């Protein structure tokens, strides 16, 4: 049996600022019909900015769906057609007031494979210099520096819950250790 679901029809039922919601009629591999609810998203970028002292520039931000403040790496939504590298440099400066001499792509992640097509492009930034942050008018952030080793422990104990931040911290830690 081939593991493939064939789209028979698609209907957009919501068109928002950030996402679009579709309900698709599909044919399952066994020939039976079903439907899928799919959130379409333009994609996003995130960056783990690491200082020469081994600290990571993080942001604390209230996240409405969870009604709590989360500790995250700087990140943001891609504009339609925007190059991820351009977007990550923009988001790094906007959210944290940091400009990086070196920005390295370290991977791409599917955020929630069961119902959205969102992809997050992950970067690591080094050679940092500081300027002024200028977050979006509806964005309220607190910028903090935390040692990378401490962040790894926070991921492992469950203190950091955001998946893009977890992935970036663990990948950056591994890459930096391999390069020593």
């Amino acid at each position: 049996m081939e593991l493939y679901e064939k789209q028979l029809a698609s209907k957009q039922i919501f068109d928002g600022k950030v996402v679009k919601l579709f309900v698709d009629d599909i044919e399952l591999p066994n020939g039976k019909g079903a439907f899928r609810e799919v959130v379409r998203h333009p994609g996003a970028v995130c960056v783990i900015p690491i200082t020469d002292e081994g600290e990571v520039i993080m942001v604390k931000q209230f996240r409405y769906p969870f009604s709590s403040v989360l500790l995250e790496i700087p990140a943001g939504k891609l504009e339609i057609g925007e190059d991820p590298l351009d977007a990550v440099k923009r988001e790094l400066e906007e959210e944290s007031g940091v400009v990086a001499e070196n920005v390295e792509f370290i991977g791409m992640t599917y955020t929630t494979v069961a119902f959205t097509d969102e992809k997050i492009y992950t970067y690591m930034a080094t050679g940092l210099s500081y300027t002024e942050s200028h977050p979006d008018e509806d964005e309220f952030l607190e910028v903090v520096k935390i040692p990378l080793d401490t962040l790894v422990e926070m991921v492992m104990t469950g203190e950091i819950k955001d998946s893009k931040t977890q992935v970036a911290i663990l990948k950056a830690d591994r890459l930096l250790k391999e390069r020593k």
Side-chain angles (χ1 to χ4, degrees), residues 47-68:
V47 59
I48 181 162
I50 303 174
T51 68
D52 293 342
E53 296 77 33
E55 294 179 311
V56 178
I57 310 293
M58 303 287 290
V59 293
K60 290 183 178 182
Q61 184 171 194
F62 182 82
R63 291 301 193 174
Y64 183 81
F66 301 102
S67 193
S68 62

Side-chain angles (χ1 to χ4, degrees), residues 56 58 71 146-155 160 169:
V56 178
M58 303 287 290
L71 183 64
I146 300 174
L148 181 57
D149 289 342
T150 301
L151 291 171
V152 170
E153 286 304 311
M154 293 171 76
V155 168
I160 293 178
I169 288 168

